[in-house]
Amino acid sequence: MVVISPNVDFDESSASHHATDSKQNLESLGEAFGIEEETHAKETPTPKATTEVRDMNGDTSEWESDDEVLKFKAKDDENIPNGADPVVPIILREPDAPPHRRRRTEIEQLADATGPPPIHERRRPIAAVGITVEPNDNGNVSDNSASVGVMEIEAKLAEKARKYAYCEALLAAENTNLHNEPTDVKEAKSRPDWSKWETAMQEELDSLKQHGTYKRVKELPPGRKAVGYKWVFKLKLNPDNSIAWYKARLVAKGYSQIPGQDFTETTSPVARLASYRALLSLAARMNLEAHHLDIETAFLNGILEEEIYMKAPDNPRTDSDEVWQLHKSLYGLKQASHVWNKLLDSTLKKLGFNRCSKDTCVYLYRSKTAFIILAVHVDDMLIVSNSKSRLTKMKSALGQYFKVKDLGEVKFLLGIGVTRNRKTGIIELSQQAYVNQLLKRFNLQDAKPVTTPLSSGVRLTQDDSPITNKEKSDMANVLYASLVGALMYTAIGTRPDLAFAVGALSRFLSNPGRRHWNEAKHVLTYLKSMSDYAIRYSSSISPPGEAIGYSRGVAMKPTESPIEGFSDSDWAGCVDTCRSTSGFIWIMNSGAICWRSRLQLIVALSSMEAEYVGATPAVQEILWLRDLLCELKMTDSSPSLLNMDNVGAVALMRSAGDSNRTKHIDIRHHFIRSHVEDKRIRIQYTPTDEMIADILTKNLGHTKHDYFVTKLGMVSRLSGSVR
């Protein structure tokens, strides 16, 4: 499929011209797109848009419309509640949109009232244009009536047209202020909610003063240079995407720091998502308390070891040439997260916590009758405990060191919604708010539902990547990587059913084709069909048994195999490299804890070798999980069950002997045998029809895909039933 859109080149010098040159350029655009002069516009009151979209066979695409809206580059600080957000807002082609004529829209009127986009949004002035020009109320074609469609054009036109695109994205989200965060103080002052941003800025300055973050100095020492600063404005959102509060951060421009002089260490770990899932699974199983804490202004607590100077922010009470000497860490500094992590670690150890070696951001406190497990992600904390009173005391003790915001029982953590039913012993994890936000940004709210992540029978290859300049131009401004990155967060968060599809799409990030792009949208459409699905952890899977582990009366109730895994490989499944795709999943308390889908690094010579090599990361993962739970005193010594559907691989793992067909296999893969012999892992043959990991290695049909999603324990939060 191609978008027929002429390429128009502009001279570099035209970027500096004013309204007259912009009008002339717009007239040239009109000629390029076949738009008549103003006199002709009067004769034809409702001229049609000239952008034409059709596929290679001449058929109209269901993803295109006559009112084509091309992708654009927008701000990178668009917000998804409490989660990583790799996507910039764009307006994609609306499915099945019929040709239409329209009057001047609300978006155009809104765009007229707004200023140009911020400096960092302005792109270089030479590129292709896809634009739809329509008449104003007088029947004339004006500068400000161009609807969205700019890739990268002459600066003045780009400012206006890209502003329409941004306003349209905001209106599509049903709240024009929801994600329209100001980029600087000047823009914040021009907004109707300036008073709220001003209050947030003053709160930030007061907080810096209270923490003793800086000391005022009149001049810099010889040979030293002060780093700059910037105000960053963020809207903190509730799970339903409503505004919770306004937040302003004074951020140092750490990119100007000098290594070795201004900073040395910068690393700072965070807890693994698998650790969070494991703790919530235990909370469901053992009916534990699961609470959420947030440390306010966390980075401002860390004490700096280096001598750093920063320009003082503009303030009526501050001299224009005043400089701050920073005593404590500030957001934006290279070492800020590292300093905070060191301080938090030392503080938790003072409170009696021990750091786990298998996940350095998971801590354990224990006494004779109670325990508290704490997982840290920068300043967000998940706390799991069997004693509510002890938990309350811990919060109070932590509050003596930091300003703590107690969010109560965990409901929303790292962009993942947590739903709990204490009566039934169920905890569900979902990313519905995240998915709904993506659907709005990519304009797929009304897409027709699909039943599988990828189209039936499709196999993505490099043959689908663009080769000619025309094909590459067609894909030049498609935000393929942004969409795949957004899908990646769901695939590693709560949606193992997407792991294979996202892994396959990520192989073409450097040179995606139109087919890859359509399949990426297909995955998002599948998410739309199942946005309400969640991973469910339950306490009712197995009958009560002897309590094992920490504080025998409150430990988990083991089944015959409390943790069960599945490993599978699709031999030579990659068409381009003939390498195999391997996948595994580990399930505890009826819900998925760890999973992975990845292309193997070697070319396997047989299906048995592919299965054997693919089991290596599966065993590595369960050894990590077992050791973590062992440190937390939350597991028994029974072997973990690993299911495989290849008889030869099962026999090889049981040390059935080597042969000429296996003597070349790298010794690193044979470590599985030692763990089988030590009875830490138990290998079992499972028929292919029952191999759950099949969903992680290949594109399955609807019936089989639906069945394995059921085995993953994924449920609809609306119906409460297993899919």
Side-chain angles (χ1 to χ4, degrees):
M1 180 188 305
V2 296
V3 179
I4 300 179
S5 178
N7 292 332
V8 182
D9 290 336
F10 294 91
D11 186 83
E12 290 282 352
S13 61
S14 64
S16 61
H17 291 181
H18 299 290
T20 303
D21 296 319
S22 297
K23 185 173 181 181
Q24 293 175 355
N25 288 332
L26 186 60
E27 293 174 0
S28 66
L29 283 176
E31 295 176 0
F33 281 90
I35 300 174
E36 300 294 335
E37 298 292 337
E38 180 178 344
T39 56
H40 183 73
K42 294 181 180 180
E43 299 173 2
T44 310
T46 57
K48 296 182 180 179
T50 60
T51 303
E52 180 183 358
V53 180
R54 59 175 181 264
D55 63 21
M56 298 301 292
N57 298 322
D59 299 328
T60 301
S61 168
E62 63 177 4
W63 294 100
E64 319 286 348
S65 69
D66 291 339
D67 200 16
E68 167 82 344
V69 181
L70 299 177
K71 280 64 60 183
F72 66 100
K73 305 288 185 182
K75 297 193 294 188
D76 59 2
D77 58 355
E78 291 304 301
N79 201 14
I80 288 179
N82 295 339
D85 181 12
V87 179
V88 291
I90 59 175
I91 298 298
L92 297 180
R93 296 172 280 277
E94 187 173 345
D96 301 320
H100 63 280
R101 301 186 181 113
R102 60 180 173 85
R103 296 180 180 179
R104 187 175 179 77
T105 66
E106 179 185 0
I107 300 161
E108 295 166 347
Q109 297 174 14
L110 178 62
D112 286 340
T114 60
I119 297 295
H120 72 271
E121 283 191 45
R122 302 176 187 175
R123 321 306 289 183
R124 63 182 184 274
I126 298 182
V129 178
I131 189 169
T132 302
V133 180
E134 306 197 52
N136 58 22
D137 296 335
N138 299 325
N140 299 325
V141 177
S142 67
D143 292 8
N144 301 325
S145 63
S147 184
V148 190
V150 172
M151 292 180 186
E152 291 179 305
I153 62 174
E154 190 270 331
K156 291 293 183 180
L157 295 179
E159 289 176 1
K160 294 180 180 179
R162 291 181 63 249
K163 197 66 181 182
Y164 302 145
Y166 191 56
C167 293
E168 189 165 353
L170 297 174
L171 292 179
E174 302 177 350
N175 188 337
T176 57
N177 289 323
L178 186 58
H179 297 106
N180 188 12
E181 297 157 340
T183 58
D184 52 31
V185 176
K186 182 179 179 181
E187 184 179 348
K189 288 182 177 180
S190 66
R191 294 167 53 100
D193 55 355
W194 159 241
S195 61
K196 296 181 179 180
W197 291 118
E198 186 179 26
T199 301
M201 292 171 64
Q202 190 58 50
E203 290 176 353
E204 175 73 357
L205 291 174
D206 293 342
S207 178
L208 294 176
K209 186 175 181 180
Q210 292 173 6
H211 282 82
T213 306
Y214 61 89
K215 180 181 73 173
R216 293 186 174 94
V217 295
K218 286 297 183 180
E219 57 183 21
L220 288 169
R224 300 306 301 269
K225 183 178 180 181
V227 299
Y229 72 91
K230 176 180 174 61
W231 282 101
V232 176
F233 303 98
K234 298 294 291 183
L235 291 170
K236 297 295 184 177
L237 306 179
N238 296 312
D240 60 356
N241 290 332
S242 61
I243 298 177
W245 71 87
Y246 289 73
K247 184 64 182 177
R249 289 280 192 209
L250 183 63
V251 178
K253 295 182 178 180
Y255 57 79
S256 60
Q257 289 182 261
I258 301 174
Q261 175 178 295
D262 295 328
F263 69 94
T264 52
E265 295 290 337
T266 61
T267 57
S268 177
V270 295
R272 295 183 59 186
L273 285 175
S275 298
Y276 286 105
R277 291 190 292 262
L279 293 180
L280 291 171
S281 176
L282 291 174
R285 180 72 178 214
M286 302 163 57
N287 195 25
L288 304 176
E289 298 293 332
H291 286 219
H292 184 195
L293 288 184
D294 178 67
I295 307 297
E296 296 187 13
T297 59
F299 284 11
L300 305 185
N301 295 283
I303 299 176
L304 293 173
E305 298 177 356
E306 299 83 5
E307 185 178 347
I308 300 177
Y309 296 90
M310 187 184 81
K311 298 177 182 177
D314 294 334
N315 192 295
R317 293 171 290 181
T318 303
D319 295 337
S320 58
D321 58 346
E322 190 173 278
V323 177
W324 286 358
Q325 181 181 357
L326 299 180
H327 294 307
K328 292 190 176 182
S329 177
L330 194 66
Y331 289 89
L333 294 178
K334 294 284 189 180
Q335 67 270 48
S337 59
H338 176 75
V339 172
W340 160 246
N341 183 261
K342 286 180 59 179
L343 177 62
L344 180 62
D345 178 65
S346 62
T347 302
L348 291 176
K349 289 178 179 178
K350 290 179 183 178
L351 296 177
F353 284 88
N354 293 315
R355 195 178 204 177
C356 293
S357 62
K358 292 300 178 181
D359 191 331
T360 55
C361 283
V362 175
Y363 295 81
L364 172 66
Y365 168 89
R366 57 183 176 182
S367 64
K368 292 182 178 179
T369 59
F371 64 85
I372 302 174
I373 305 172
L374 188 149
V376 181
H377 186 98
V378 189
D379 56 358
D380 279 305
M381 298 182 183
L382 171 66
I383 308 175
V384 174
S385 176
N386 68 326
S387 173
K388 194 169 185 178
S389 60
R390 179 68 68 176
L391 183 60
T392 302
K393 291 180 181 179
M394 191 279 293
K395 292 178 181 178
S396 177
L398 192 62
Q400 296 178 6
Y401 293 89
F402 310 115
K403 187 177 180 181
V404 177
K405 181 181 292 185
D406 186 359
L407 302 177
E409 291 194 10
V410 59
K411 295 180 180 178
F412 202 75
L413 180 68
L414 306 180
I416 299 175
V418 182
T419 305
R420 185 170 193 178
N421 188 325
R422 298 296 288 262
K423 293 182 179 180
T424 59
I426 288 174
I427 291 181
E428 295 175 349
L429 307 182
S430 73
Q431 293 173 282
Q432 186 171 11
Y434 182 87
V435 171
N436 290 339
Q437 194 73 347
L438 292 183
L439 290 169
K440 289 180 180 180
R441 294 188 176 196
F442 287 88
N443 200 25
L444 291 174
Q445 307 97 306
D446 301 323
K448 296 178 181 179
V450 295
T451 56
T452 56
L454 296 176
S455 301
S456 179
V458 69
R459 301 186 73 178
L460 301 175
T461 72
Q462 294 179 357
D463 293 338
D464 300 319
S465 298
I467 299 176
T468 65
N469 291 335
K470 184 177 181 181
E471 291 174 340
K472 292 180 179 180
S473 175
D474 179 43
M475 294 297 298
N477 281 53
V478 172
L479 296 183
Y480 179 82
S482 296
L483 178 54
V484 173
L487 296 173
M488 181 71 73
Y489 188 60
T490 63
I492 66 176
T494 62
R495 301 306 296 263
D497 53 329
L498 297 184
F500 171 75
V502 175
L505 292 169
S506 64
R507 299 170 195 167
F508 308 97
L509 291 176
S510 61
N511 189 27
R514 181 60 59 177
R515 189 181 187 188
H516 303 139
W517 173 241
N518 288 337
E519 288 302 319
K521 291 188 291 184
H522 192 279
V523 175
L524 185 54
T525 304
Y526 167 78
L527 269 181
K528 183 252 183 185
S529 307
M530 293 181 59
S531 64
D532 60 302
Y533 274 72
I535 297 178
R536 170 179 289 180
Y537 302 114
S538 174
S539 64
S540 59
I541 297 304
S542 61
E546 180 185 359
I548 297 178
Y550 185 76
S551 184
R552 296 172 66 86
V554 295
M556 67 189 305
K557 302 168 183 177
T559 63
E560 293 181 358
S561 182
I563 307 175
E564 185 175 6
F566 298 82
S567 175
D568 189 35
S569 293
D570 180 31
W571 181 40
C574 178
V575 177
D576 299 315
T577 64
C578 292
R579 288 188 286 171
S580 306
T581 301
S582 58
F584 68 82
I585 187 164
W586 288 98
I587 297 174
M588 184 170 69
N589 300 336
S590 79
I593 300 294
C594 313
W595 61 84
R596 185 184 301 170
S597 176
R598 181 174 295 177
L599 199 65
Q600 294 182 4
L601 299 178
I602 63 173
V603 176
L605 302 183
S606 66
S607 60
M608 182 274 294
E609 182 181 347
E611 297 276 357
Y612 189 71
V613 172
T616 299
V619 174
Q620 290 175 318
E621 189 74 9
I622 191 55
L623 292 178
W624 167 82
L625 181 59
R626 284 174 60 93
D627 290 343
L628 175 64
L629 296 177
C630 184
E631 282 193 87
L632 300 176
K633 313 299 183 184
M634 290 292 173
T635 188
D636 59 3
S637 58
S638 62
S640 298
L641 177 63
L642 178 61
N643 295 275
M644 302 182 66
D645 63 354
N646 188 283
V647 176
V650 171
L652 188 59
M653 290 182 187
R654 291 173 179 169
S655 299
D658 296 325
S659 68
N660 289 333
R661 296 185 179 182
T662 62
K663 63 183 181 181
H664 65 281
I665 297 178
D666 196 330
I667 192 173
R668 68 183 300 270
H669 302 296
H670 291 307
F671 93 107
I672 300 175
R673 293 180 178 179
S674 63
H675 295 291
V676 173
E677 292 173 359
D678 293 341
K679 300 187 183 301
R680 301 187 71 187
I681 307 294
R682 182 164 63 92
I683 307 298
Q684 176 178 285
Y685 172 78
T686 297
T688 301
D689 291 340
E690 298 296 326
M691 175 48 62
I692 299 177
D694 215 25
I695 198 174
L696 302 171
T697 62
K698 56 183 69 70
N699 182 20
L700 301 176
H702 164 59
T703 303
K704 206 166 185 179
H705 177 86
D706 206 41
Y707 175 72
F708 287 141
V709 169
T710 301
K711 293 295 185 179
L712 293 174
M714 298 186 66
V715 301
S716 172
R717 299 173 64 229
L718 298 179
S719 64
S721 60
V722 178
R723 179 175 170 87

